[in-house]
Amino acid sequence: MKKSSTSVQELPAAAAYRPTPPPAWRPRTDPAPLLPDPEPYRVLGTDAAAGAEPALLLRLYTELVRGRRYNTQATALTKQGRLAVYPSSTGQEACEVAAALVLRAEDWLFPSYRDTLAAVARGLDPVQALTLLRGDWHTGYDPYEHRVAPLSTPLATQLPHAVGLAHAARLKGDDVVALALVGDGGTSEGDFHEALNFAAVWRAPVVFLVQNNGFAISVPLAKQSAAPSLAHKAVGYGMPGRLVDGNDAVAVHTVLGEAMARARRGEGPTLVEAVTYRVDSHTNADDATRYRDAEEVETWRAHDPIRLLEHELTRRGLLDEAGIAEAAEAAERMAARLRDRMNAEPALDPADLFAHVYAERTPQLREQEALLRAELDASAGEGAGEAR
Amino acid sequence: MTAVGTVPVAAEAAKPATMAQALRRAMRDAMAEDPSVHVLGEDVGTLGGVFRITDGLAAEFGDERCTDTPLAEAGILGAAVGMAMYGLRPVVEMQFDAFAYPSFEQLISHVAKMRNRTRGAMPLPITVRVPYGGGIGGVEHHSDSSEAYYMATPGLHVVTPATVDDAYGLLRAAIASDDPVIFLEPKRLYWSKAQWSQDAPTEVEPIGRAVVRRPGRSATLITYGPSVPVCLEAAEAAQEEGWDLEVVDLRSLVPFDDETVAASVRRTGRAVVVHESAGFGGPGGEIAARVTERCFHHLEAPVLRVAGFDIPYPPPMLERHHLPGVDRVLDAVARLQWETES
């Protein structure tokens, strides 16, 4: 009783204390302009399609058809034991191709392991792009030749690299934008968060493209993220989020193009979420029937990126049966060349094991190289003995 | 005659007297000589780092050359990877040893491997400065000796200075290196003036050489970083007992200077490896094995290890019991009077 009366006496004084919050108390910027539109941006099948350049449509189409064939050929090569593994991007080709075609020569691409197609569409030798997956070396190409960073296997770890490179380029006064690719699963990684935060704080000229293909191996998006959309994550970092139909190559190209232009103008990074679907399994080693139903796959097959574009091109009279056949034949020739070259045994030099660990071999590596050399000489000697 | 052999007054005044000053001077000189050298990390700018090692760099070179980053170690090191890809030489500060752990994926999967992954096309000249070790009364996560993790990762150089001269020379060498270097700074020596030569440090020698800090004939103490002064003190104390101890300061854990170490042990016939980090799975095991492989027939006793206990770094009020001190080193030396049981 006494206790209660004491606190009653104290309460009014406490309630009277209503300090003025400091200015930093309120949100610093208006989040509304950063929010993605509720519906993914689409061009094909809408009125906006009429404005699309015929040359761009045809270029995208050729690359899509080539990309699809590349995916089927690479998957076939896994069955022949020529590739250790292949993560197909069938169904996602529109994202891959648009990502490559939106870049200028001086820009950089930061792909993940599923983005071989983007690297090839960027101009990489189709065989060199597969070296990682064949197993004769980790990166089969010089990243500086086409400005394509090594395909990254750990998820989202390439994103901070893209930020650092874009930041460095800007410090040097170079007009360079970095485009970094990541999947829906990758957005859960810490490096995704750190990269987006750094990019926004530094206003780095970088664009993040999330290819949301529905599944991280077997885990569906609903178990991956509770965000309204992955594009909404941008708002928390202070950058705009854009949502786009990932099967609409023209729409992806447009949205990425706007984001690249924005970065180039010094206005900072953009997060683009392309909603698409991985029609094949995660890799040839995965069985997608265990975690998704056929009906869902068929729905997405009906929304095929190649057919969407083909429909638009034929409707506008830019493509006929002969043109379709021509694109298919060009893709077939690429596949045949790829097959032939992949069937040749790669020349492996065991000395490579020690050549690129450090600029100069350490004394320890020199000892180990001598050991390997002696082993190789001995086995060569044995081989000669057997031949006799 | 010009003033050959004299040191200008300004240079004299600027001569580093402590390890902290030498480290700062090394970064300052590297930044002045090479515009591609950039310093980045948490608090390195305006504050000058929590240990003030980067003090003045932002003021002199601007905050684009000495950059306060968001608080995110993976992001700091990951951004440094991209910067190095574009031709810069990032010098990253990890505020404390145990704060570097979030950056390990970047370090191990990318920093250490990028040259290898790209067959030499994409070297990463990154220096990662890590204040490490105990003895400063820090609370948990502020006193780890994490060198074993770095040593176990091919593709990284791992160096650690014990003197003012080496703090300057090795950091210059690390920044100049075309390979990633983990630069472990023994934080309890930051303000020590030990082993500072009177000449202004100018020599930058390649990474990978150990030095004999104190010549001796009866046993070799093999050590590095914060344990070097401990071993030197132990050697002085042991002299009264008739032990003439040689002290080898490794300076570089990777690459490892087998030659200097083995030459010393062959001379003395006895060896003790001394370090702060846990003994089990620690650097001492590797070093003892290498010494045994090379010097077996010269050894009069087993190679002994004096290391931190195999415990998580203890709270500050107990750390003196954990850290290998002079007495523990001397006890090990006494055990080197190895006699086989009859």
Side-chain angles (χ1 to χ4, degrees):
Chain A
M1 196 60 187
K2 198 170 187 185
K3 228 178 194 177
S4 136
S5 75
T6 311
S7 60
V8 165
Q9 273 178 343
E10 281 171 3
L11 265 174
Y17 179 66
R18 300 188 62 179
T20 309
W25 185 64
R26 289 179 171 279
R28 293 184 302 280
T29 51
D30 176 11
L34 306 179
L35 280 165
D37 290 334
E39 283 295 313
Y41 179 68
R42 295 180 66 187
V43 173
L44 297 174
T46 75
D47 295 343
E53 289 284 326
L56 175 68
L57 294 178
L58 285 165
R59 177 82 203 281
L60 287 169
Y61 179 73
T62 313
E63 288 292 339
L64 281 182
V65 172
R66 214 166 81 101
R68 173 71 49 89
R69 187 64 190 91
Y70 188 93
N71 275 329
T72 54
Q73 184 56 62
T75 302
L77 285 165
T78 63
K79 295 183 177 125
Q80 296 156 22
R82 286 292 173 186
L83 286 179
V85 67
Y86 185 73
S88 165
S89 58
T90 291
Q92 303 177 220
E93 294 96 335
C95 303
E96 298 281 311
V97 163
L101 297 194
V102 83
L103 300 176
R104 302 162 308 162
E106 57 270 36
D107 296 330
W108 272 80
L109 179 71
F110 285 80
S112 79
Y113 63 91
R114 198 184 296 287
D115 303 315
T116 323
L117 213 60
V120 171
R122 172 87 170 134
L124 236 69
D125 179 327
V127 168
Q128 288 188 342
L130 285 175
T131 303
L132 165 75
L133 301 163
R134 175 162 66 179
D136 56 313
W137 203 259
H138 307 303
T139 302
Y141 53 91
D142 179 346
Y144 291 102
E145 197 184 340
H146 294 282
R147 301 197 167 201
V148 176
L151 296 164
S152 183
T153 307
L155 296 187
T157 52
Q158 76 279 17
L159 306 183
H161 305 171
V163 177
L165 182 136
H167 176 65
R170 200 180 54 158
L171 291 182
K172 287 190 174 188
D174 296 345
D175 182 22
V176 168
V177 179
L179 173 60
L181 309 183
V182 66
D184 44 306
T187 66
S188 299
E189 294 279 5
D191 281 44
F192 172 84
H193 159 68
E194 298 193 18
L196 265 69
N197 190 45
F198 270 64
V201 171
W202 284 356
R203 286 176 84 85
V206 59
V207 175
F208 302 98
L209 172 62
V210 180
Q211 292 180 61
N212 170 10
N213 68 12
F215 294 86
I217 304 190
S218 70
V219 179
L221 185 67
K223 290 185 181 174
Q224 195 68 244
S225 173
S229 80
L230 298 176
H232 276 80
K233 288 178 181 252
V235 183
Y237 299 102
M239 72 175 80
R242 296 289 172 251
L243 202 50
V244 61
D245 179 347
N247 286 23
D248 181 337
V250 185
V252 181
H253 191 272
T254 305
V255 170
L256 284 181
E258 285 166 3
M260 297 290 288
R262 190 174 169 272
R264 214 169 289 140
R265 288 196 301 269
E267 292 169 28
T270 305
L271 174 66
V272 178
E273 176 188 356
V275 185
T276 182
Y277 196 77
R278 188 191 76 214
V279 170
D280 288 344
S281 292
H282 166 61
T283 68
N284 53 296
D286 169 40
D287 175 10
T289 62
R290 291 175 71 106
Y291 53 84
R292 59 189 197 187
D293 58 49
E295 203 180 318
E296 181 184 277
V297 181
E298 285 317 305
T299 310
W300 278 96
R301 277 190 198 279
H303 190 60
D304 183 77
I306 296 178
R307 289 194 51 208
L308 278 174
L309 196 51
E310 212 169 72
H311 182 75
E312 175 64 22
L313 281 163
T314 49
R315 194 183 62 80
R316 282 170 65 177
L318 296 166
L319 190 72
D320 55 12
E321 288 300 322
I324 292 170
E326 200 182 305
E329 281 159 24
E332 203 50 50
R333 284 194 298 277
M334 178 277 302
R337 275 197 305 275
L338 179 60
R339 223 164 32 235
D340 287 350
R341 291 178 63 202
M342 289 298 290
N343 279 329
E345 287 297 329
L348 298 180
D349 182 1
D352 269 3
L353 291 173
F354 304 99
H356 309 295
V357 185
Y358 300 98
E360 281 175 46
R361 290 166 178 75
T362 61
Q364 289 74 31
L365 288 181
R366 283 200 295 272
E367 280 175 21
Q368 291 163 27
E369 188 176 4
L371 170 74
L372 177 64
R373 211 178 285 281
E375 284 175 6
L376 291 169
D377 288 348
S379 64
E382 276 171 30
E386 281 163 19
R388 277 197 297 272
Chain B
M1 282 289 279
T2 49
V4 174
T6 63
V7 179
V9 174
E12 177 75 30
K15 250 196 286 185
T18 64
M19 185 177 277
Q21 286 170 6
L23 293 166
R24 190 203 154 274
R25 163 95 171 265
M27 277 184 279
R28 194 247 154 228
D29 289 356
M31 291 173 89
E33 280 171 29
D34 181 354
S36 67
V37 176
H38 283 242
V39 169
L40 67 157
E42 162 79 355
D43 298 311
V44 297
T46 311
L47 181 66
V50 292
F51 291 107
R52 307 290 183 270
I53 308 298
T54 57
D55 193 20
L57 297 181
E60 184 171 354
F61 298 101
D63 58 7
E64 286 187 342
R65 296 279 307 279
C66 181
T67 307
D68 276 333
T69 64
L71 205 173
E73 288 75 14
I76 294 168
L77 190 53
V81 169
M83 291 165 73
M85 282 179 171
Y86 205 78
L88 301 185
R89 287 186 177 272
V91 180
V92 163
E93 177 174 304
M94 292 291 164
Q95 201 156 73
F96 280 91
D97 31 56
F99 295 179
Y101 301 150
S103 72
F104 265 39
E105 186 181 18
Q106 283 293 340
L107 186 76
I108 287 157
S109 295
H110 295 294
V111 175
K113 292 178 182 165
M114 195 64 83
R115 172 187 288 280
N116 189 256
R117 292 168 75 202
T118 60
R119 280 190 216 247
M122 193 172 252
L124 295 180
I126 299 173
T127 302
V128 184
R129 294 181 38 241
V130 186
Y132 83 120
I136 63 159
V139 295
E140 61 169 352
H141 307 299
H142 289 73
S143 300
D144 284 18
S145 294
S146 28
E147 59 267 32
Y149 307 134
Y150 300 110
M151 288 172 71
T153 304
L156 305 175
H157 290 298
V158 184
V159 303
T160 177
T163 68
V164 177
D165 273 5
D166 270 359
Y168 182 86
L170 286 174
L171 187 51
R172 289 300 305 270
I175 296 170
S177 169
D178 285 334
D179 286 318
V181 179
I182 305 299
F183 192 87
L184 298 167
E185 300 175 358
K187 62 172 97 78
R188 75 172 140 117
L189 300 186
Y190 270 154
W191 298 282
S192 112
K193 300 178 184 183
Q195 292 293 310
W196 173 54
S197 70
Q198 291 304 305
D199 304 316
T202 49
E203 289 292 307
V204 177
E205 59 169 303
I207 287 166
R209 274 192 27 214
V211 293
V212 176
R213 287 276 170 232
R214 182 193 194 278
R217 305 189 59 82
S218 36
T220 302
L221 303 179
I222 305 165
T223 189
Y224 56 86
S227 295
V228 171
V230 174
C231 287
L232 287 169
E233 198 185 328
E236 289 305 315
Q239 205 144 25
E240 293 166 23
E241 315 274 324
W243 284 89
D244 181 21
L245 297 179
E246 181 149 307
V247 178
V248 173
D249 174 3
L250 294 172
R251 306 156 98 217
S252 168
L253 297 170
V254 182
F256 189 84
D257 186 353
D258 285 303
E259 226 168 281
T260 300
V261 171
S264 171
V265 177
R266 283 181 191 135
R267 275 195 302 274
T268 62
R270 293 175 169 87
V272 182
V273 189
V274 183
H275 60 64
E276 277 187 28
S277 71
F280 190 86
E286 175 63 33
I287 295 165
R290 302 188 80 84
V291 168
T292 307
E293 285 172 358
R294 280 163 183 76
C295 312
F296 183 73
H297 294 292
H298 296 80
L299 286 172
E300 307 280 343
V303 180
L304 300 181
R305 288 171 292 166
V306 176
F309 294 133
D310 299 334
I311 57 173
Y313 196 87
M317 292 175 81
L318 292 170
E319 69 179 343
R320 69 181 193 281
H321 301 293
H322 167 74
L323 292 171
V326 170
D327 288 349
R328 208 169 284 162
V329 175
L330 291 174
D331 284 349
V333 169
R335 278 190 287 139
L336 287 174
Q337 301 184 41
W338 176 259
E339 284 171 28
T340 47
E341 306 228 347
S342 52

